[in-house]
Amino acid sequence: MIAALRNIGVLVALTALAGSVLAWFAGFTEDEVRRNRLEAENRVFRELTRVDLAAVGYGNLVLCDHGLVVLRVEGQGYGGDFRLAVALDLDGSVTGVRVLEHAETPGFSDILGATAPWLNSFTTGDVHAVTGATVTSKAVMEAVGRAVERVRQGGQQGEWCP
């Protein structure tokens, strides 16, 4: 009985120590993770806009310049939340869609890759749900649709740009 209690005590102490080390390490690397995430987003935005963005904010409006609007939009796919960058002309025409973050199952998330033909189909307007990834594809279509409506309702460039 005493040996079992001692073993439980050792396990509790090791668990507490491991948790403390993990919490410290997460705090220690938090700034670097944030910088890496921002740099990854900036690469996506540069790809979509062909404009060198030194830094972008965390708001939904990323860019409004050169007759182009880039928005961050969010949605809920089958595997969880996702975030997109949607580039649009001022009339609401989609010029590009890229995934910033997602929690979809590998394999099903193949439609979300930067080189995926399905994401590029948003620029032609010939977009259909993908069999096998119906929930995710419909959620992405709805999120892009919200971005299009937002730009169309926003009117002229003067209403978008600060």
Side-chain angles (χ1 to χ4, degrees):
M1 178 71 163
I2 292 176
L5 289 175
R6 185 182 65 218
N7 288 341
I8 291 172
V10 168
L11 287 174
V12 167
L14 287 175
T15 303
L17 178 64
S20 298
V21 168
L22 287 174
W24 173 83
F25 192 72
F28 181 72
T29 60
E30 183 177 0
D31 288 340
E32 186 172 347
V33 169
R34 188 178 302 117
R35 278 192 304 274
N36 288 341
R37 183 175 288 130
L38 185 59
E39 178 54 35
E41 283 191 9
N42 281 334
R43 280 193 303 272
V44 169
F45 297 139
R46 281 191 296 270
E47 178 185 327
L48 283 173
T49 64
R50 309 286 188 240
V51 174
D52 188 22
L53 301 171
V56 293
Y58 286 100
N60 290 332
L61 178 63
V62 175
L63 172 77
C64 184
D65 200 5
H66 307 291
L68 184 68
V69 176
V70 179
L71 298 172
R72 284 185 185 97
V73 293
E74 299 176 352
Q76 174 76 34
Y78 183 79
D81 295 337
F82 61 81
R83 292 178 45 239
L84 306 173
V86 182
L88 307 110
D89 288 330
L90 293 176
D91 66 357
S93 301
V94 177
T95 62
V97 177
R98 294 294 180 269
V99 176
L100 299 173
E101 188 177 343
H102 73 82
E104 297 304 314
T105 306
F108 294 114
S109 65
D110 292 348
I111 65 169
L112 303 177
T115 59
W118 184 75
L119 277 183
N120 292 328
S121 69
F122 282 94
T123 61
T124 65
D126 187 28
V127 185
H128 304 282
V130 177
T131 303
T134 308
V135 173
T136 298
S137 58
K138 284 185 177 182
V140 169
M141 291 165 56
E142 289 172 8
V144 171
R146 286 193 309 273
V148 168
E149 283 306 308
R150 183 171 174 207
V151 169
R152 286 185 179 158
Q153 291 174 0
Q156 299 302 316
Q157 183 173 358
E159 296 178 39
W160 276 103
C161 297

